[in-house]
Amino acid sequence: MTQGSNPNEGPLAIDLSGVSKSYGRRVRALVGVDIHVRRGEIYGLLGPNGAGKSTLVKVMMTIVRPDSIQGTVLGRAVGDKGALATIGYLPEHHRFPPYLTGRQVVEFSGAMSLVPRRERKIRAGALLDRVGLGAWGRRPLSSYSKGMRQRAGLAAALVNEPQLVVLDEPTDGVDPVGRREFRDLIVALRDEGRTVMLNSHLLSEVETVCSRVAIMVQGRVVSQGTIDELTASSRRYEIVIEGTVPLWCGTSVAVQAMPPGSLLTAGISGAGTRLVFLGLDAAAAQPILDRLRTEGRTVVAVQTVRESLEDLFMRAVTDPTTGLIFKPGAAS
Amino acid sequence: MQTIAIFVAAYRELSARRLFWLALGTTLLVVGIFASVGINEIGLTLFGLNGASPFFNTNAMSPETFYKLFFVKFGIEWWLGMLATVLALVTTCGIVPDLVAPGSIDLILAKPISRPRLFLTKYATGLLFAALQVLIFSTAVFFVIGIRGGAWEWALFLAVPIVTFFYSLLFSICAMVGMVTRSSIASLILTVMAWAAISAVTFGEWLTNQGLLANTMDIVACERVLADTTKPPDEDRRAEVEERLAHAMESRPNWLTAHGWFYWIYVGLPKTAETLDAMERVLIDTAKIPSGLKGEAFSGPRVFEPNEATVEEFQAAVHEQSASRSLWWVLGTSLAFEAVMLWIATAVFVRRDY
């Protein structure tokens, strides 16, 4: 997918429905999860610890056996060897043997993904250069920092030139500069036509690169879509004026005068009085601005505001009835 | 491609361990000791020191025979069959637990390889280590016997497949326990305990079998004496034989029961000792060790002797029964045990989530 195309259209790389997994009778790690990732997009998987993100990824990679699952990955059944050969996977907390060199790690990964010997030798050098380990390829991983091991892992995940790249917390332990490089690399992978599934706790990272996200809480996908779609309901229009809150604000007259928006809050802020209208767009706000000007009010600022991904995430992981954060861990 | 990659990775894994080099160094040390032992007309020599021996000297046997015998008794029974096996178990007991360790298993299960194939290939890498160790030892001994004994005995290399098979019987237990417990220490300890238990059952079966055989022969011999009309025993002798017969008949159910229990347990277990015995038999036959030593090499100590049958008759019966358990019976029942161990480990591996 190139930037600018509709993220809700196109063939699916991951098309899974009803994914369930229980551990014993008490722990339900995944409860009928539906997930649909389009080819060529960067898809973010979010959720608190124990939400089931890694379990979902492990189900896709055949590391965990689901209780039930329907659908396909890259057009084939989950676990199909042909499909697995075209997926690159970097697991969370991976442990490559410390005595192997970076090059050996990449070459071993290539051999296990059925990449021909000559090809994987060529690719190993190129990939190590790409992740910034060109000069470290012949040194053992025991001499690498954590961030360097992540880079080596990423190179190993890409050795089979995958159509789908699944990255589970790829920037864990990576410094800010390295994170930036990782982000650039993920975008570059997307631009090459690959699908990237990114499982990360770093919301800013996901917000920056992902075209669509899913938020998981206690084994369920509670929100899924583009960030614009997910935050649309939270779109607000803020008008800051000098002086006190107009008397008509909050009255039925005001509400009728301002369809489709309605006054969300009105109160004194540092710069004056802030009026916040929910779901209002610029055109619909003009009558309000006209009225304020008619009354001789000074309009200090006008802006549209929408929820950040962090706000969205916090809303998703908060129990609306109690106002408390859902407890970590799978649903029981 | 994947199989080769796993073998190469296993070699790298083993060679990265100090234990691997310790095992290799110990093997070469043992070969050095083997090479330093010599034989002359007086007796044995060790690092140039002479020790007189009435049995081991060049008047009693040729240097070639001595070295072959030394290889069989010391090289196989003690080194390969005992110490090197423990060393190999210590070195390789971590192969399966390391395979299924968190962080490692995710990387490999996500690859297009089936779990049974992955596990069995990893299992084979453990056997490769044992085979490598035996190959190094056999090669070194081959040259020692060639140079010092004057015989280039290719049959020594039969030790590689047979000792590897012997090792595979124990390593299958190690792999199964390692898969179930995911612990190197547990797999090592339980394998050694299982080996001790197998040896105890084997000894118990042998002991009760000897007793049962002696009992059977005693009954046959007593009945033969009592039924002999050409030389009928006098009254005292008849009374004595009748008493012995009654005693033998009385104890027979106990022998049958005891042996029956041991035998059925024994059938289900791997025949580790018998596998090495078979190895010795093959080597003795192929390497043309004199027949006088042949019987000595595989006849066990005698615990029971029938009162009425002659020692020769009893020995002949023991040999006859020993021969009735063919090499194929030993290999077949052992392989069945190994297959069960591997099946359990594979089933656990295939069904488990990581």
Side-chain angles (χ1 to χ4, degrees):
Chain A
M1 186 193 77
T2 55
Q3 282 174 316
S5 63
N6 188 345
N8 291 321
E9 291 177 356
L12 293 171
I14 301 172
D15 180 18
L16 297 176
S17 306
V19 186
S20 296
K21 175 65 187 176
S22 298
Y23 293 101
R25 291 183 180 176
R26 293 185 176 180
V27 180
R28 299 173 72 194
L30 297 174
V31 187
V33 170
D34 296 345
I35 194 156
H36 310 287
V37 179
R38 308 214 167 269
R39 284 184 188 258
E41 75 174 351
I42 304 174
Y43 190 89
L45 195 56
L46 300 170
N49 289 335
K53 308 184 298 294
S54 290
T55 303
L56 178 62
V57 167
K58 286 182 174 187
V59 165
M60 283 169 43
M61 303 310 300
T62 70
I63 297 160
V64 166
R65 298 181 326 139
D67 299 333
S68 66
I69 189 167
Q70 290 169 351
T72 59
V73 174
L74 295 174
R76 302 189 191 195
V78 173
D80 180 274
K81 302 300 174 204
L84 286 175
T86 56
I87 299 176
Y89 174 49
L90 179 64
E92 187 185 16
H93 306 311
H94 58 74
R95 204 181 67 171
F96 288 106
Y99 49 82
L100 292 184
T101 65
R103 176 174 275 275
Q104 286 170 343
V105 162
V106 178
E107 288 185 9
F108 177 71
S109 179
M112 294 307 294
S113 293
L114 305 171
V115 178
R117 179 184 164 83
R118 192 174 170 180
E119 195 66 31
R120 64 178 182 257
K121 283 191 174 297
I122 294 169
R123 287 184 197 171
L127 283 167
L128 288 169
D129 283 338
R130 189 173 185 182
V131 299
L133 291 176
W136 286 74
R138 298 198 180 280
R139 296 189 192 180
L141 259 62
S142 55
S143 63
Y144 285 22
S145 68
K146 193 174 179 187
M148 291 166 76
R149 288 184 197 186
Q150 287 295 104
R151 289 165 187 260
L154 184 60
L158 299 177
V159 69
N160 54 337
E161 297 197 330
Q163 295 176 38
L164 170 64
V165 184
V166 181
L167 306 173
D168 199 350
E169 302 292 351
T171 54
D172 187 22
V174 179
D175 61 34
V177 176
R179 279 208 293 274
R180 173 72 177 268
E181 289 171 357
F182 258 77
R183 279 203 302 272
D184 292 345
L185 188 58
I186 289 169
V187 171
L189 291 172
R190 190 266 317 274
D191 292 343
E192 289 166 9
R194 305 185 206 284
T195 308
V196 181
M197 186 172 187
L198 178 63
N199 184 356
S200 175
H201 282 115
L202 296 176
L203 300 177
S204 59
E205 188 172 271
V206 173
E207 193 165 21
T208 307
V209 299
C210 293
S211 46
R212 293 200 309 137
V213 297
I215 300 177
M216 291 187 69
V217 178
Q218 295 195 322
R220 293 179 173 85
V221 173
V222 294
S223 297
Q224 184 167 207
T226 65
I227 294 173
D228 278 349
E229 286 168 352
L230 296 179
T231 57
S233 63
S234 69
R235 194 172 56 196
R236 307 185 299 272
Y237 204 81
E238 286 188 5
I239 302 171
V240 181
I241 58 173
E242 287 183 348
T244 57
V245 179
L247 292 172
W248 47 267
C249 277
T251 65
S252 56
V253 176
V255 172
Q256 285 169 10
M258 296 177 286
S262 59
L263 187 69
L264 186 66
T265 60
I268 305 294
S269 71
T273 297
R274 185 181 301 272
L275 308 175
V276 181
F277 298 91
L278 187 65
L280 202 63
D281 59 21
Q286 295 312 310
I288 302 170
L289 291 169
D290 291 343
R291 184 165 186 177
L292 289 169
R293 286 198 193 93
T294 306
E295 292 175 0
R297 301 269 188 168
T298 302
V299 177
V300 177
V302 177
Q303 60 184 341
T304 53
V305 178
R306 70 169 57 212
E307 219 174 19
S308 68
L309 186 59
E310 184 176 342
D311 295 332
L312 175 69
F313 179 80
M314 291 309 295
R315 186 156 56 88
V317 302
T318 302
D319 188 340
T321 54
T322 63
L324 300 173
I325 303 293
F326 285 115
K327 286 181 181 175
S332 60
Chain B
M1 185 190 298
Q2 291 172 322
T3 304
I4 293 171
I6 292 171
F7 270 86
V8 171
Y11 169 73
R12 285 177 177 149
E13 181 184 348
L14 287 171
S15 62
R17 294 182 186 186
R18 286 182 187 167
L19 269 171
F20 175 82
W21 297 106
L22 182 71
L24 205 62
T26 312
T27 299
L28 294 176
L29 182 70
V30 169
V31 171
I33 294 170
F34 190 86
S36 65
V37 177
I39 187 168
N40 57 26
E41 60 276 5
I42 301 167
L44 299 174
T45 65
L46 181 67
F47 297 115
L49 301 172
N50 284 309
S53 168
F55 307 110
F56 297 104
N57 57 63
T58 48
N59 295 320
M61 66 178 75
S62 68
E64 176 191 340
T65 305
F66 167 74
Y67 276 113
K68 286 177 183 174
L69 191 65
F70 193 36
F71 176 69
V72 166
K73 302 304 284 184
F74 168 75
I76 293 177
E77 282 191 12
W78 283 99
W79 174 241
L80 294 177
M82 192 74 75
L83 302 175
T85 299
V86 172
L87 213 53
L89 282 173
V90 171
T91 309
T92 58
C93 67
I95 286 179
V96 172
D98 286 352
L99 168 72
V100 296
S104 300
I105 189 68
D106 306 55
L107 291 165
I108 203 153
L109 282 185
K111 300 297 181 186
I113 183 169
S114 72
R115 291 193 186 195
R117 184 179 161 203
L118 176 61
F119 167 69
L120 293 173
T121 309
K122 271 287 189 182
Y123 173 72
T125 63
L127 301 187
L128 180 73
F129 170 76
L132 195 67
Q133 202 177 26
V134 182
L135 180 66
I136 290 170
F137 183 72
S138 300
T139 306
V141 169
F142 174 79
F143 282 107
V144 169
I145 294 180
I147 293 165
R148 300 205 62 175
W152 300 95
E153 188 53 71
W154 292 97
L156 295 181
F157 290 101
L158 284 171
V160 178
I162 297 178
V163 175
T164 304
F165 174 69
F166 158 77
Y167 182 74
S168 76
L169 300 176
L170 296 174
F171 190 57
S172 67
I173 303 171
C174 190
M176 189 275 286
V177 176
M179 181 60 76
V180 172
T181 64
R182 305 189 213 188
S183 161
S184 304
I185 298 293
S187 56
L188 177 64
I189 291 173
L190 289 175
T191 303
V192 171
M193 286 172 68
W195 190 9
I198 290 164
S199 301
V201 170
T202 304
F203 178 72
E205 196 278 337
W206 173 83
L207 198 67
T208 52
N209 190 37
Q210 294 261 310
L212 180 62
L213 198 60
N215 176 269
T216 306
M217 294 192 71
D218 228 5
I219 291 170
V220 170
C222 287
E223 286 174 345
R224 188 175 60 201
V225 170
L226 294 174
D228 191 350
T229 50
T230 56
K231 281 189 200 170
D234 58 32
E235 279 192 18
D236 288 348
R237 171 72 174 147
R238 173 173 286 277
E240 181 193 350
V241 172
E242 281 176 345
E243 190 182 342
R244 279 189 180 157
L245 179 60
H247 183 259
M249 293 295 282
E250 190 184 344
S251 60
R252 184 165 183 75
N254 295 336
W255 284 117
L256 282 169
T257 306
H259 179 253
W261 277 105
F262 273 111
Y263 179 76
W264 287 113
I265 299 170
Y266 170 77
V267 167
L269 293 177
K271 314 295 178 292
T272 50
E274 292 80 348
T275 302
L276 289 181
D277 283 349
M279 162 86 191
E280 288 182 17
R281 270 183 261 173
V282 170
L283 271 180
I284 286 165
D285 286 344
T286 318
K288 298 180 185 63
I289 292 178
S291 58
L293 296 166
K294 187 174 170 179
E296 192 64 31
F298 58 81
S299 67
R302 292 187 298 273
V303 178
F304 302 103
E305 289 187 354
N307 293 311
E308 291 301 324
T310 64
V311 172
E312 289 73 24
E313 282 176 326
F314 182 63
Q315 274 192 327
V318 169
H319 279 272
E320 191 181 335
Q321 194 166 62
S322 173
S324 71
R325 290 174 184 174
S326 69
L327 181 64
W328 295 115
W329 184 83
V330 169
L331 295 181
T333 51
S334 299
L335 271 173
F337 175 87
E338 188 170 350
V340 169
M341 291 294 110
L342 295 180
W343 181 82
I344 294 170
T346 307
V348 169
F349 188 45
V350 167
R351 295 176 61 84
R352 185 178 276 170
D353 295 320
Y354 293 96

